[in-house]
């Protein structure tokens, strides 16, 4: 038994606060689509359920047919689900499931598949047999991109994937005893005591390490040989862009293999999110990719709103698009600043100029919400507050000068030989490899895949904007540089259209289930005062179900998977961070190149470790 603070506390279980219908299982999918019908026809009774849930295609499959289903999804031309976008799992320990018989599996694997050809998405749920040692077959034999997500599930949830080529822990220390995302693991080992005397027993564990992990020297990653030189790069190295450790195997100065060691910044956002009300987790999303707070807010609230079936006012939607594209610009400017500093002779000048323009965007963020980095501005139901009058004028001034600034950057970098020599032919990823690895964003478009969620699976009103999706067939660092530069120009184009067509109206929904009453009502209406109090203290409930929603963030697809048990707190909240999935490609990109090219490849990946480690 773990010596930890109790999960259930008396003040959280008062009579009257408990709804006997909570927790509830997510309902099975109903109806059908053309794809789910074809899958059921092919696999028959091994499809445990199939249909639609929250407007998304969902199928449940027996574990014995999972790999066969994956091959069928990938190879069948009428389906053509070329990419496995994400893998996660749900621990159903706290849900009302039968303890024996069919449907009693504690763990469910959850897979997100994407068809670029048909612009479709499919969620596959697979019950994992084995109560004490649950396992599922690995999909790395079908999709290479399953490697890291499956390792994450093994590490944090304790499922094993039979046949996995590298079943090491990926975020927690190798000898860590427990799997933190299991439902029988507490949020933390230490609770902050509330007492008037230090004689209180709660103080016994204050400041102590409750969940011990023995420190051990690192081992040589699999596949590496001590006959070559093995070096540590990071985790404290300026060109790793954060606490990333790379174990590099060298033959002379040629790279033989690279093994990323991550988890130094692991903050437990998912565990925290499963213990915070839906409305309160918005503030935590800022701190994952801390260079893209607005996009983080946006992706999360869209997932919750889809489960609630909320209609968002048109003005709020346009404001969100403006903020999302400004955030994309700010993120890409910081990428350009640091990338050029790593590689080019003009790097210091470009870094200063790009940072200058990014500061203007942060000034705009400060104008609307008082914060520059962790904004928490986009909220469930709309945005926190309306745009101040000065904001519109300042955005118009910014978008007028920004295209000329981008031209200046390209003249500084692109016309010199050093920039091209450091990027052309370096870090090449073919189109097929990019899809198979599950890469997204500029990494995918830089390898010739014409895909952008804003255009191909539009959300938040993006279908109303005219913009181009830049694509490069080069597949190298220079191609990805061009993609991001053109993306900034297209973001400016979107912002100009949004500003020209900004409608009047509400900046957040007037649906009282999620929005606080107007301040003026609190002085004259007891009902409004009570509603305000209950919404702040208890939050709002989300109907039982599950959903995956992805957006085109600056670094790729940022996705949120939410499983609701009907309460005001997510039962399962999983974040698909593009930095995490894209970083898997670093070894493939670096083999055969020089040691210095690893620096170029880290920059062209454009990772933020807060999003990698989450």
């Amino acid at each position: 038994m773990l010596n930890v603070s109790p999960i259930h506390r008396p003040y959280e279980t008062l009579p009257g606060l408990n709804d006997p219908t909570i927790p509830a299982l997510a309902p099975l999918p109903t109806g059908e689509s053309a794809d789910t019908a074809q899958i059921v026809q092919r696999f028959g009774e091994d499809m445990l359920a199939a249909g639609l849930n929250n407007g998304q295609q969902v199928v449940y499959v027996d574990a014995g047919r999972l790999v066969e289903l994956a091959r069928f999804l990938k190879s069948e031309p009428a389906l053509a689900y070329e990419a496995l976008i994400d893998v996660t799992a749900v621990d159903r320990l706290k849900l009302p499931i039968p303890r024996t018989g069919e449907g009693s599996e504690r763990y469910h694997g959850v897979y997100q598949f994407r068809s670029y050809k048909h612009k479709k998405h499919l969620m596959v749920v697979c019950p994992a047999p084995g109560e004490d040692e649950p396992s599922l077959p690995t999909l790395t034999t079908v999709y290479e991109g399953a490697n890291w997500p499956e390792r994450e599930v093994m590490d944090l949830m304790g499922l094993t994937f039979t046949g996995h080529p590298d079943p090491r822990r990926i975020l927690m220390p190798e000898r860590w005893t427990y799997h933190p995302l299991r439902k029988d693991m507490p949020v933390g080992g230490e609770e902050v005591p509330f007492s008037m005397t230090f004689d209180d027993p709660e103080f016994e564990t204050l400041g102590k390490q409750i969940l011990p992990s023995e420190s051990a020297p690192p081992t040589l990653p699999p596949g590496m040989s001590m006959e070559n030189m093995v070096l540590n790069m990071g985790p404290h190295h300026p060109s790793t862009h954060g606490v990333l450790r790379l174990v590099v195997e060298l033959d002379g100065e040629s790279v033989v293999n690279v093994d990323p060691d991550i988890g130094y910044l692991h903050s437990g956002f998912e565990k925290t999110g499963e213990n915070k009300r839906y409305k309160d987790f918005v503030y935590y999303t800022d701190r994952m990719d801390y260079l893209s707070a607005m996009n983080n807010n946006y992706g999360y609230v869209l997932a919750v709103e889809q489960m609630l079936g909320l209609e968002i006012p048109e003005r709020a939607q346009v404001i969100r698009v403006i903020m999302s594209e400004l955030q994309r610009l700010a993120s890409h400017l910081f990428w350009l600043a640091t990338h050029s500093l790593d590689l080019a002779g003009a790097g210091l000048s470009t870094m200063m100029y790009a940072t200058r323009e990014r500061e203007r965007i942060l000034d705009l963020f400060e104008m609307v919400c008082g914060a520059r980095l962790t904004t928490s501005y986009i909220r469930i139901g709309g945005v926190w507050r309306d745009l101040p009058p000065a904001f519109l004028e300042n955005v118009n001034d910014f978008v007028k000068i920004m295209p000329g600034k981008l031209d200046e950057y390209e003249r500084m970098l692109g016309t010199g030989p050093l920039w091209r020599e450091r990027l052309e032919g370096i870090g090449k990823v073919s189109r097929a490899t990019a899809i198979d690895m599950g890469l997204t964003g500029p990494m995918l478009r830089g390898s010739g895949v014409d895909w952008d969620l804003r255009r191909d699976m539009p959300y938040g009103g993006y279908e109303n904007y005219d913009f181009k999706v830049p694509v490069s067939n080069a597949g190298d660092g220079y191609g990805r540089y061009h993609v991001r530069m053109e993306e900034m120009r297209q973001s400016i184009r979107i912002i100009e259209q949004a500003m020209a067509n900004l409608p009047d109206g509400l900046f957040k929904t007037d649906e009282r289930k999620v929005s606080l009453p107007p301040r003026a009502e609190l002085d004259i209406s007891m009902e409004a005062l009570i509603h305000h109090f209950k919404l702040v203290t208890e939050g709002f409930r989300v109907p039982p179900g599950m959903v995956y929603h992805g957006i085109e963030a600056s670094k790729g697809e940022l996705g949120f998977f939410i499983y609701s048990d009907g309460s005001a707190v997510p039962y399962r909240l999983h974040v698909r961070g593009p930095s995490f999935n894209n970083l898997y490609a670093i070894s493939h990109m670096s083999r055969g190149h020089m040691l210095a090219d690893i620096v170029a490849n880290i920059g062209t990946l454009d990772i933020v470790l807060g999003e990698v480690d989450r």
Side-chain angles (χ1 to χ4, degrees):
M1 187 66 180
L2 294 178
N3 180 23
V4 295
S5 58
I7 298 176
H8 300 289
R9 304 171 181 89
Y11 56 81
E12 294 179 336
T13 55
L14 295 176
L17 292 182
N18 299 321
D19 186 333
T21 65
I22 299 173
L25 285 170
L28 293 174
T30 58
E32 68 175 17
S33 66
D35 287 3
T36 60
Q38 184 174 355
I39 293 169
V40 170
Q41 183 179 8
R42 171 68 173 76
F43 288 90
E45 294 181 356
D46 290 324
M47 302 310 303
L48 309 178
L52 302 175
N53 190 321
N54 284 310
Q56 296 184 319
Q57 299 182 113
V58 182
V59 298
Y60 285 67
V61 64
D62 183 85
R65 304 295 296 276
L66 176 63
V67 176
E68 187 180 350
L69 172 63
R71 295 189 194 279
F72 179 68
L73 293 175
K74 188 175 185 179
S75 60
E76 173 59 39
L79 299 175
Y81 286 94
E82 309 104 314
L84 175 62
I85 295 299
D86 187 47
V87 182
T88 187
V90 177
D91 178 2
R92 306 195 303 160
L93 179 67
K94 303 296 182 180
L95 294 174
I97 59 174
R99 290 300 153 212
T100 58
E102 186 175 347
S104 64
E105 294 86 354
R106 174 176 169 180
Y107 299 94
H108 280 183
V110 183
Y111 303 80
Q112 311 296 338
F113 295 90
R114 175 70 43 73
S115 172
Y116 297 128
K117 180 180 179 181
H118 301 301
K119 299 181 180 179
K120 292 182 179 180
H121 182 89
L122 175 70
M123 183 188 304
V124 173
V125 181
C126 183
E131 176 71 20
D132 299 324
E133 297 182 356
S135 66
L136 290 170
T138 182
L139 292 188
T140 54
T141 56
V142 186
Y143 298 93
E144 188 178 353
N147 192 307
W148 272 25
E150 286 185 353
R151 284 182 62 189
E152 182 183 11
V153 175
M154 285 190 282
D155 187 0
L156 303 184
M157 195 70 78
L159 274 75
T160 58
F161 290 88
T162 55
H164 194 282
D166 186 11
R168 292 176 297 157
R169 304 195 82 143
I170 191 168
L171 289 172
M172 304 299 289
E174 188 63 32
R175 299 195 181 187
W176 191 260
T177 311
Y178 306 106
H179 303 287
L181 286 186
R182 287 186 170 184
K183 286 299 180 180
D184 50 1
M185 290 294 107
V187 181
E190 175 187 329
E191 185 182 52
V192 178
F194 182 80
S195 175
M196 300 299 292
T197 170
F198 275 94
D199 295 332
D200 194 294
E202 288 188 347
F203 280 96
E204 292 180 0
T205 61
L206 182 63
K208 296 180 181 178
Q209 177 67 45
I210 303 301
L211 304 178
S213 177
E214 294 183 11
S215 181
T219 57
L220 191 68
M224 289 191 178
S225 171
M226 289 300 292
E227 294 183 2
N228 293 318
M229 182 182 296
V230 179
L231 298 179
N232 259 329
M233 184 176 175
H236 302 292
H237 188 290
S239 292
T240 57
H241 295 212
V243 283
L244 168 66
R245 172 180 174 244
L246 296 175
V247 183
V248 183
E249 182 183 6
L250 297 171
D251 182 4
E253 281 205 42
S254 297
V255 177
V256 177
N257 199 0
V258 178
D259 185 75
D261 183 16
I262 59 178
Y264 292 91
L265 198 60
H266 186 51
S267 303
F269 284 108
E270 294 183 12
K271 189 74 170 181
T272 302
E274 293 168 11
N275 290 272
K276 299 293 179 186
R277 300 180 184 94
Y278 286 97
K279 68 182 183 66
D280 296 329
F281 187 67
V282 173
Y283 315 103
Y284 290 83
T285 62
D286 296 326
R287 290 150 176 84
M288 293 184 297
D289 177 358
Y290 38 78
L291 300 179
S292 294
M294 291 285 189
N295 285 329
N296 299 346
N297 299 164
Y298 200 12
Y300 170 68
V301 302
L302 284 172
V304 179
E305 289 164 357
Q306 184 170 341
M307 300 189 80
L308 290 170
L310 275 183
E311 290 290 334
I312 307 303
E314 188 177 352
R315 180 176 178 85
Q317 290 197 40
V318 176
I319 293 174
R320 287 174 168 188
V321 168
I322 293 172
M323 294 302 169
S324 181
E325 296 308 314
L326 284 173
Q327 188 70 83
R328 191 183 317 278
L329 276 164
S331 177
H332 280 1
L333 285 169
F334 199 80
W335 155 80
L336 182 66
T338 54
H339 196 30
S340 62
L341 185 64
D342 285 342
L343 301 184
L348 186 59
S349 300
T350 312
M351 188 270 290
M352 296 299 292
Y353 296 147
T355 303
R356 176 190 61 192
E357 267 61 75
R358 177 174 175 267
E359 283 295 304
R360 293 196 60 169
I361 297 175
L362 300 189
D363 289 342
L364 294 169
F365 290 165
E366 188 174 13
M367 193 178 296
V368 297
C369 66
R372 300 170 66 81
L373 206 66
T374 52
T375 54
S376 307
Y377 177 67
I378 299 176
R379 307 284 180 87
I380 297 170
V383 295
W384 173 53
R385 54 179 289 187
D386 206 352
L387 300 174
F391 177 83
L392 304 178
E393 180 182 348
N394 281 272
V395 170
N396 281 323
D397 291 342
F398 174 76
V399 297
K400 286 177 183 177
I401 68 163
M402 196 59 208
K405 300 297 183 184
L406 295 174
D407 293 340
E408 289 180 7
Y409 304 154
E410 288 193 317
R411 286 197 298 270
M412 291 177 64
L413 295 172
T415 57
L418 182 57
W419 183 250
R420 300 180 72 102
E421 287 179 9
R422 292 301 307 273
L423 292 176
E424 286 184 332
I426 304 300
K428 294 204 71 167
V429 180
S430 69
R431 185 183 191 279
T433 300
I435 294 174
D436 196 39
M437 285 186 173
L439 308 184
T440 57
M443 289 296 298
L444 187 66
R445 293 186 286 275
S447 293
V449 182
D450 187 8
W451 176 265
D452 190 305
L453 281 166
R454 297 172 295 173
R455 180 198 64 188
D456 299 313
M457 300 182 75
Y459 54 89
Y462 269 108
E463 64 273 13
N464 300 320
Y465 298 89
D466 179 31
F467 63 98
K468 296 180 180 179
V469 176
V471 177
S472 171
N473 292 317
D476 59 7
Y478 198 69
R480 292 184 282 271
Y481 155 71
H482 274 301
V483 165
R484 289 190 177 98
M485 295 300 291
E486 185 58 30
E487 279 188 6
M488 286 194 273
R489 292 188 172 92
Q490 295 302 317
S491 289
I492 295 169
R493 185 176 171 186
I494 294 172
I495 293 169
E496 289 174 335
Q497 295 174 59
M499 296 289 291
N501 298 287
L502 181 63
D504 294 328
L506 299 173
F507 61 88
K508 65 176 180 179
T509 181
D510 56 1
E511 171 57 66
R512 292 296 177 86
K513 291 182 179 179
V514 299
S515 290
L516 296 174
R519 178 64 183 84
E521 287 189 20
L522 301 185
D523 296 331
I524 59 175
S525 170
M526 177 57 72
E527 289 78 9
L529 186 63
I530 293 171
H531 178 69
H532 184 286
F533 175 78
K534 288 181 70 66
L535 197 56
V536 170
T537 57
E538 298 181 18
F540 51 82
R541 292 173 182 170
V542 173
M546 57 184 174
V547 73
Y548 172 86
H549 197 294
I551 69 165
E552 194 67 48
S554 60
K555 294 167 180 60
E557 179 170 340
L558 172 64
F560 287 85
F561 169 78
I562 298 176
Y563 188 111
S564 170
D565 63 356
S567 69
V569 176
Y571 181 80
R572 176 76 176 102
L573 190 153
H574 168 67
V575 185
R576 187 247 184 240
S579 294
F580 175 84
N581 291 65
N582 289 346
L583 181 58
Y584 171 69
I586 185 69
S587 182
H588 173 86
M589 296 166 63
S590 301
R591 291 185 197 127
H593 291 301
M594 306 293 283
L595 176 62
D597 294 327
I598 295 178
V599 174
N601 289 334
I602 294 172
T604 194
L605 283 168
D606 188 23
I607 57 171
V608 164
L609 269 298
E611 186 178 75
V612 173
D613 293 349
R614 298 189 309 289

